[in-house]
Amino acid sequence: MRDFADMALQLDAHRAEFPKERSDRLPTEFVWRDPSTIPPRPWLYGQHLIRKQVSVTVAPGGVGKSSLTICEGLAMASGRDLLGDWTASGLKVWIYNLEDPRDEMNRRIIAAMQHHNVASEEISGRLFVDTGRERELSTAIQTREGVQILKPEMEALAQEIEAREIDVLIIDPFVSSHQVGENDNGAIDLVAKEWARLADRCNCAIELVHHTRKTNGEEATTESGRGATALLAAARSGRVLNKMSNDMKAEAGVQNDPSTYFAVTRDKANLAPVGDRVWRRMASVQLSNGDSVGVAEVWEWPDTFDGVSIADLLAVQHALDGQGRRYSDQAGGEWAGVTVAAVLGFDAQVDRKRIKKIIETWLKSGALVKGQKTGAQRKPVPTVEVGEWATV
């Protein structure tokens, strides 16, 4: 009984520490309201950046994440759809790159403006750019006593965001914005939540750009981010960038193009459905000073039947009719795909995967059917024959 009495005295003392008006605020009764009167979520760019929240972009080095965020920054500042994503208009964007010097940032931004035809007056007073080479950023340090958030630094950021009325702050890369152990979940959790508090206080969206760990050739996800997982946990939207593999380049018919192609996949979404992957290409833009600069642009995965008509199908049927062309693409010059390529103007080697898909689709539709003939070793081998003739 004495233990319970002691506990009661401690509880009374604990309650006395709080002012009475505090108890009036908690708990708060829920009151139903017409959903049409609830303000919609304040999305700023696609379904990735939203006011009062932190979003994360994860990517391996050299894919194009900085170029992507620059183009997105220009899209938001100009209010134009540069990459196929919806953007709110009249936004003020602050890009804080912590790795590159200002000259390099100028090259990238001007190249992107040149490529996407963005005039300087379209972004005047709405795009702000700073670099860690000129002004370092450190939001937290690790001491013997643990993680210490550098409040003066966060306060200075808040004051600048509020003074300039910044809508979107892009920090690139996240690892350069703090000095705590990136594998320490507790430390990264404190840092990430401090960014979230800043976004909430300043009514802005914050994008943290993050590197992936080594994936040994496997496709990355947002969970492949380097270090602690607490960063992704604190984000309301996470997306990952993956470079197109050689096999996929061959399938898309761009294996001879030296450009970088990459997919953007939003695979962590708390406030919206997970998004399908979209594709981007790094175009090479020549500046008048002689520099060649990579700029992100929209790229659409080619449709198998782009440029192929019913008339083309009929021409292929006439070319295959009675020829006994082989079904297997390992049949060399006897492969039916060689005939298809000749009729459609394709390259039987370069466009092999696309040709195989076309043949399979025509087989499923009945326009072509599988036949059979005796091969060189007197064994039956499958062929491709005409099925139901196409009508033009």
Side-chain angles (χ1 to χ4, degrees):
M1 294 294 292
R2 182 180 301 172
D3 290 340
F4 283 106
D6 290 343
M7 289 173 62
L9 289 172
Q10 290 175 6
L11 182 59
D12 288 340
H14 180 69
R15 287 171 175 164
E17 293 178 3
F18 293 91
K20 289 185 177 180
E21 61 267 21
R22 205 176 155 78
S23 63
D24 295 337
R25 292 190 292 172
L26 296 173
T28 303
E29 180 185 358
F30 171 77
V31 178
W32 186 90
R33 59 185 291 188
D34 183 342
S36 65
T37 66
I38 301 174
R41 288 179 177 136
W43 296 106
L44 297 181
Y45 189 77
Q47 288 189 316
H48 179 60
L49 297 179
I50 185 171
R51 287 193 190 277
K52 295 181 177 289
Q53 303 288 359
V54 169
S55 300
V56 173
T57 294
V58 178
V63 171
K65 54 185 178 296
S66 295
S67 296
L68 176 67
T69 53
I70 284 172
C71 286
E72 291 174 341
L74 285 171
M76 289 182 278
S78 65
R80 289 173 51 193
D81 174 2
L82 302 183
L83 294 174
D85 293 310
W86 173 87
T87 178
S89 60
L91 299 178
K92 291 186 176 181
V93 181
W94 184 7
I95 300 175
Y96 204 153
N97 185 291
L98 302 175
E99 289 184 332
D100 296 314
R102 185 169 293 277
D103 281 348
E104 182 59 27
M105 291 299 295
N106 288 340
R107 289 186 195 97
R108 291 182 177 187
I109 294 170
I110 291 171
M113 292 177 66
Q114 179 177 308
H115 185 66
H116 291 289
N117 298 312
V118 178
S120 59
E121 55 267 22
E122 291 183 79
I123 60 169
S124 178
R126 289 198 293 274
L127 182 65
F128 302 86
V129 181
D130 286 284
T131 167
R133 297 288 187 96
E134 296 174 359
R135 207 281 193 185
E136 293 183 349
L137 176 65
S138 180
T139 60
I141 58 173
Q142 201 140 15
T143 67
R144 292 179 181 178
E145 289 74 31
V147 176
Q148 179 182 347
I149 300 296
L150 300 181
K151 295 294 185 180
E153 189 83 309
M154 299 305 295
E155 183 62 29
L157 282 173
Q159 289 180 5
E160 290 301 324
I161 292 170
E162 291 170 344
R164 301 281 188 171
E165 299 180 325
I166 299 296
D167 299 291
V168 177
L169 170 63
I170 299 170
I171 300 295
D172 181 13
F174 169 69
V175 69
S176 298
S177 70
H178 63 81
Q179 298 178 58
V180 306
E182 67 174 354
N183 293 309
D184 186 333
N185 255 310
I188 295 299
D189 181 61
L190 287 173
V191 175
K193 286 179 177 175
E194 194 65 27
W195 281 113
R197 275 190 285 272
L198 181 67
D200 185 72
R201 168 183 169 178
C202 298
N203 193 35
C204 68
I206 294 181
E207 169 91 293
L208 301 176
V209 181
H210 192 41
H211 296 293
T212 61
R213 60 176 182 272
K214 291 182 180 179
T215 59
N216 298 319
E218 294 183 1
E219 190 167 277
T221 69
T222 49
E223 294 182 354
S224 304
R226 232 169 64 175
T229 59
L231 174 62
L232 182 61
R236 287 296 168 264
S237 175
R239 60 182 182 174
V240 61
L241 278 51
N242 277 290
K243 188 182 291 187
M244 186 185 290
S245 67
N246 290 333
D247 285 346
M248 294 179 79
K249 274 195 161 189
E251 185 176 343
V254 296
Q255 65 268 47
N256 296 322
D257 186 345
S259 302
T260 295
Y261 292 78
F262 63 93
V264 183
T265 309
R266 192 166 50 83
D267 63 354
K268 199 266 186 181
N270 290 5
L271 302 178
V274 170
D276 296 328
R277 70 171 54 192
V278 295
W279 289 95
R280 302 287 181 254
R281 174 180 177 269
M282 291 297 290
S284 181
V285 176
Q286 293 294 132
L287 297 182
S288 57
N289 68 351
D291 287 334
S292 178
V293 183
V295 173
E297 66 177 10
V298 172
W299 183 79
E300 298 286 347
W301 190 275
D303 185 270
T304 301
F305 284 89
D306 276 349
V308 180
S309 65
I310 297 296
D312 291 324
L313 167 58
L314 183 59
V316 168
Q317 288 177 318
H318 281 297
L320 288 173
D321 189 30
Q323 299 302 308
R325 290 291 186 175
R326 297 271 298 273
Y327 170 74
S328 172
D329 66 331
Q330 302 300 311
E334 290 189 49
W335 177 40
V338 174
T339 301
V340 173
V343 173
L344 300 182
F346 293 168
D347 185 307
Q349 292 301 319
V350 172
D351 300 312
R352 178 177 295 270
K353 289 190 174 182
R354 183 181 181 187
I355 293 168
K356 289 174 68 176
K357 285 185 176 181
I358 289 174
I359 291 173
E360 291 301 324
T361 302
W362 282 339
L363 284 168
K364 288 179 180 178
S365 72
L368 300 177
V369 295
K370 282 187 181 179
Q372 187 175 285
K373 73 176 183 178
T374 301
Q377 297 179 348
R378 296 187 178 181
K379 291 183 179 180
V381 293
T383 60
V384 176
E385 310 293 344
V386 177
E388 183 180 347
W389 284 93
T391 303
V392 178

